Amino acid sequence: MTIPCIAAAGPEAADLLAALHAKAFEDGEVWNETAFTALLAGAGMDALVARLGEAPAGFVLMRTIADEAEMLTLAVLASARRSGIGRMLVEAGLDAARRRGAVRAFLEVSTGNAGALALYRSTGWDAAGHRTRYYRDGSDALVLSRAL
């Protein structure tokens, strides 16, 4: 079995992140290369890409401002799900936020995304709020948080 490798990515990886996001969220909201370029140019951003061998399998995008971090997106290809990559990316993203001085992290997740909810709950996230009709498809989001 190939051991996953996680490495930081910068603005030059916007096209890769957009491609991975599109594959991971085929039926949902997809961010394009322009969106990733703008995000990655901002202060306090950490993009971490997981690879299985040479093949990218997913990524996490974190933003840290002052002592709070937000997981903007976590994308894992369907073929790599339930392999531990999602958990590794969550922990790597939180470690990056800690290094930037964050003491608490937040994220939004669709109430219909059972796999993501299970991952987040198993990595210590708790419900902190609810956003009605948050996503373009009309689905609700749970706001989750955890101490770092």
Side-chain angles (χ1 to χ4, degrees), residues 3-147:
I3 297 172
C5 171
I6 296 178
E12 75 288 345
D15 59 338
L16 170 64
L17 300 186
L20 287 169
H21 204 260
K23 288 179 185 172
F25 295 102
E26 292 177 276
D27 298 329
E29 290 184 37
V30 175
W31 300 352
N32 62 26
E33 184 176 345
T34 302
F36 280 107
T37 298
L39 285 166
L40 293 168
M45 298 300 294
D46 288 290
L48 302 163
V49 176
R51 294 181 182 274
L52 287 171
E54 293 297 313
F59 72 95
V60 64
L61 184 62
M62 301 289 297
R63 174 173 45 207
T64 303
I65 300 173
D67 65 350
E68 290 187 351
E70 180 181 9
M71 183 181 297
L72 297 176
T73 190
L74 171 70
V76 177
L77 298 180
S79 60
R81 291 182 188 148
R82 303 195 56 79
S83 69
I85 286 176
R87 179 178 302 278
M88 290 174 66
L89 285 167
V90 168
E91 294 302 334
L94 295 175
D95 286 345
R98 276 187 207 95
R99 285 192 299 277
R100 288 187 181 270
V103 297
R104 179 154 291 285
F106 296 89
L107 63 82
E108 288 103 6
V109 60
S110 172
T111 56
N113 191 338
L117 284 166
L119 170 64
Y120 296 139
R121 289 196 171 117
S122 74
T123 55
W125 298 80
D126 294 309
H130 186 103
R131 300 187 195 280
T132 304
R133 300 185 55 78
Y134 181 75
Y135 294 104
R136 282 187 211 149
D137 67 0
S139 62
D140 292 356
L142 286 178
V143 177
L144 303 181
S145 73
R146 68 166 272 182

